[in-house]
Amino acid sequence: MSLPRYDQFINGQFVPSVTGEYFPLINPETGEVVAKIANSVGADVEHAVEVAKTAFHQTNWRTDKAFRVQCLRTLAAKMRAALPDLVAAESRVTGRPIREMQAQLSRLPEWYDYFASVVETLEDTVPPFGPGYLNYTVREPLGVVGLLTPWNHPLLILTKKLAPALAAGNAVVIKPSEQAPITVNILAALIKDSGIPDGIVGVVHGYGAVAGKALSENNQLGKIDLTGGTPTGRSVAAAAGHNLIKVAAELGGKASVLIFQDANLEEAVNGAVFAGYIASGQTCVQGARMIVPESMYDEFVEAFVQKVKQLRIGSPLDVNTDVGPMVSERQLNRVLDYVNIGVKEGAKLVYGGTAIAGNGWYVRPAVFTEVTNEMTIAQEEIFGPVVCIMKYRTEEEAITIANGTEFGLAMSIWTNDIRKAHRVASQLEAGVIWINDHHRINPSSPWGGYKDSGLGRENGIDCYKDYTQVKNIIVNTNPEPFDWFDGTGQAKRYS
């Protein structure tokens, strides 16, 4: 049986790579090859950027705001209609339970509608300049921007970048993860049907070390926007610096979940388990670090483990599944290696952490207790269903533990004391703080990290602005003539 092939999307057409080569896509549930993906190389990336650059200059995309608004709203409507196909495909490719995918993807059209509204309503500025002058600013697109996206939230993370980039009038070249490319191609077809001019959006595939590297180093870009690991982010930011272009990078995370004595235990446990095991822990805001008061530690651990034991592991296409497989065998082995490291360093594995025999890359969710903040499993991003439960005595100690990592993407606080909630939130070193919740997002709400968790922000008006450049236009309205070299020797304003 021949396998389906997924090609690049360049100039409004699906085309093979210049080499004609394909690489296999493997189903994480079964371990079987289910598709072949075009193996894009540097020449493909260069071609895609050139096509995007031509489309940017030769179409009305960058100049006609009303047209962009119309296309973005059409794309949102088409995404809503295509949700069943997108949800099923994303679940198969990533191994994420279909219930998760339905909840997540059903919100994505909101991003295109939101940023269409930003285009319609965001006002330019008229800075004061003094008598005799009109001074105003306009925002213009950057040109061609490159988007490098990961496998764990293929469409969500792409949409957080793509919607504002298109709304601002840019052309875009996307390089999705080689492990989750299919839904990006489905989206590309919807983009063509929405009326966005050919060439404005391109998709190249291939491996990160080849196609991703070529895109991040391309000197024709106006911005590069990456979601990925921190080491990759450093390399991409260095390339952007060399080319003197904008860079945004949403990188690694190791989110802490701070539980306070006054929190409702059942609500806190339910929220903590959600934080730790949604997406099988394969998300950069995974609540991997539970920070629990010593006085309720045993009670919390008992309730937490009992809840984890009830999680249903199974096929990602089953609506009753809570935890699906790891995305790859490599990711499974990474999780198992960290479990072994945790045990060797003295943490207590009280549940899970073992591979499940059979097809696919399944692992039982792991719970570690007696963890100290210096342990490897408490510090390094595992990107899997491994949770560490640590204890503290004072509020100050809890904050110190929470801030005691190199990452600062997100954290959550569980308390019924409103003063404490805001007091603690103000001291946490992270870009996103949830209070009595975790892993919530909205197109208007800024998303990004402190420290090694990245640069810049996704979502919101600031993100839209970062996909633009400001042009300042200064108009002399003074009827009096100006001649600096009039021979009078008088000082006049010229700056």
Side-chain angles (χ1 to χ4, degrees):
M1 182 180 70
S2 62
L3 296 172
R5 293 185 174 185
Y6 292 87
D7 286 317
Q8 308 172 113
F9 182 72
I10 299 176
N11 206 22
Q13 302 294 325
F14 289 102
V15 295
S17 70
V18 294
T19 66
E21 296 177 352
Y22 292 82
F23 62 86
L25 182 68
I26 300 177
N27 184 325
E29 180 188 4
T30 65
E32 298 175 343
V33 176
V34 292
K36 293 183 177 181
I37 313 300
N39 190 15
S40 304
V41 294
D44 296 301
V45 173
E46 185 175 351
H47 176 54
V49 172
E50 287 297 329
V51 167
K53 184 178 178 181
T54 299
F56 176 76
H57 287 291
Q58 295 186 358
T59 71
N60 64 337
W61 184 251
R62 66 189 175 98
T63 58
D64 192 338
K65 289 185 176 181
F67 175 57
R68 296 204 301 269
V69 169
Q70 175 188 338
C71 290
L72 290 171
R73 295 205 189 283
T74 300
L75 178 56
K78 288 186 176 296
M79 284 191 73
R80 288 187 179 93
L83 278 174
D85 291 339
L86 290 169
V87 167
E90 191 119 311
S91 185
R92 289 191 184 97
V93 167
T94 64
R96 295 277 299 276
I98 198 164
R99 186 160 58 98
E100 287 184 26
M101 291 295 88
Q102 176 64 44
Q104 186 178 100
L105 269 59
S106 65
R107 296 207 54 210
L108 298 194
E110 296 175 34
W111 266 257
Y112 298 96
D113 280 332
Y114 170 80
F115 281 104
S117 296
V118 170
V119 176
E120 287 181 311
T121 59
L122 186 65
E123 298 177 350
D124 292 317
T125 64
V126 186
F129 201 82
Y133 287 90
L134 169 64
N135 184 34
Y136 65 96
T137 66
V138 293
R139 289 193 172 272
E140 297 183 343
L142 300 172
V144 182
V145 299
L147 307 182
L148 298 168
T149 60
W151 48 262
N152 59 323
H153 304 286
L155 283 183
L156 170 62
I157 290 176
L158 172 58
T159 290
K160 290 194 293 179
K161 305 177 191 301
L162 181 62
L166 291 178
N170 297 287
V172 175
V173 176
I174 303 161
K175 196 294 180 181
S177 168
E178 60 270 20
Q179 293 177 296
I182 290 178
T183 51
V184 179
N185 271 34
I186 297 174
L187 179 61
L190 298 177
I191 286 170
K192 182 176 179 65
D193 291 344
S194 70
I196 295 175
D198 291 346
I200 291 296
V201 176
V203 180
V204 293
H205 294 296
Y207 293 96
V210 178
K213 184 174 185 289
L215 184 58
S216 67
E217 295 178 350
N218 191 286
N219 61 11
Q220 298 299 305
L221 300 181
K223 178 180 178 178
I224 189 79
D225 194 335
L226 158 79
T227 295
T230 298
T232 302
R234 295 186 193 279
S235 298
V236 170
H242 177 77
N243 290 327
L244 296 178
I245 64 171
K246 289 187 175 186
V247 60
E250 197 254 85
L251 306 175
K254 192 75 175 178
S256 294
V257 177
L258 289 82
I259 311 294
F260 288 96
Q261 182 71 48
D262 57 82
N264 178 282
L265 179 64
E266 182 179 2
E267 289 181 4
V269 167
N270 289 342
V273 172
F274 171 80
Y277 301 108
I278 192 72
S280 302
Q282 298 175 116
T283 175
C284 48
V285 295
Q286 179 212 10
R289 296 156 44 88
M290 306 297 158
I291 302 174
V292 182
E294 187 176 59
S295 57
M296 66 182 296
Y297 189 83
D298 292 340
E299 183 182 16
F300 179 88
V301 168
E302 181 181 1
F304 186 89
V305 171
Q306 185 60 35
K307 182 75 176 182
V308 174
K309 287 180 178 179
Q310 296 172 7
L311 297 179
R312 293 164 293 193
I313 303 170
S315 167
L317 297 180
D318 185 344
V319 294
N320 294 311
T321 293
D322 296 314
V323 178
M326 298 292 94
V327 74
S328 65
E329 185 176 17
R330 177 182 177 183
Q331 197 65 23
L332 171 63
N333 290 333
R334 176 183 174 88
V335 170
L336 297 176
D337 287 345
Y338 272 104
V339 169
N340 290 332
I341 290 170
V343 172
K344 288 179 181 178
E345 290 188 352
K348 184 177 180 181
L349 181 64
V350 295
Y351 182 75
T354 57
I356 297 175
N359 296 328
W361 299 304
Y362 287 90
V363 60
R364 288 183 179 83
V367 183
F368 277 102
T369 61
E370 306 306 323
V371 179
T372 61
N373 206 29
E374 296 74 28
M375 290 182 177
T376 302
I377 57 171
Q379 288 293 320
E380 297 185 8
E381 185 177 37
I382 299 172
F383 228 67
V386 179
V387 167
C388 305
I389 309 180
M390 297 179 280
K391 63 179 68 171
Y392 71 89
R393 292 182 178 177
T394 67
E395 180 181 309
E396 292 74 19
E397 184 184 5
I399 293 168
T400 298
I401 294 172
N403 289 335
T405 78
E406 64 185 13
F407 299 110
L409 182 55
M411 299 187 197
S412 60
I413 300 165
W414 294 82
T415 178
N416 284 319
D417 184 335
I418 189 170
R419 293 182 179 181
K420 180 185 295 180
H422 290 282
R423 182 174 65 246
V424 171
S426 70
Q427 298 175 74
L428 295 181
E429 298 169 354
V432 182
I433 307 293
W434 296 285
I435 296 174
N436 295 327
D437 214 330
H438 200 98
H439 208 322
R440 303 295 181 181
I441 191 170
N442 199 72
S444 63
S445 187
W447 180 280
Y450 287 17
K451 300 190 285 190
D452 284 2
S453 286
L455 302 166
R457 293 294 183 269
E458 296 173 329
N459 301 338
I461 291 175
D462 286 341
C463 176
Y464 171 85
K465 290 180 178 179
D466 202 49
Y467 277 103
T468 68
Q469 52 195 339
V470 176
K471 178 179 288 184
N472 189 191
I473 300 171
I474 304 163
V475 183
N476 183 354
T477 63
N478 197 323
E480 298 297 324
F482 175 81
D483 181 3
W484 178 263
F485 301 106
D486 61 5
T488 65
Q490 294 181 346
K492 303 176 182 180
R493 175 180 173 178
Y494 71 94
S495 62

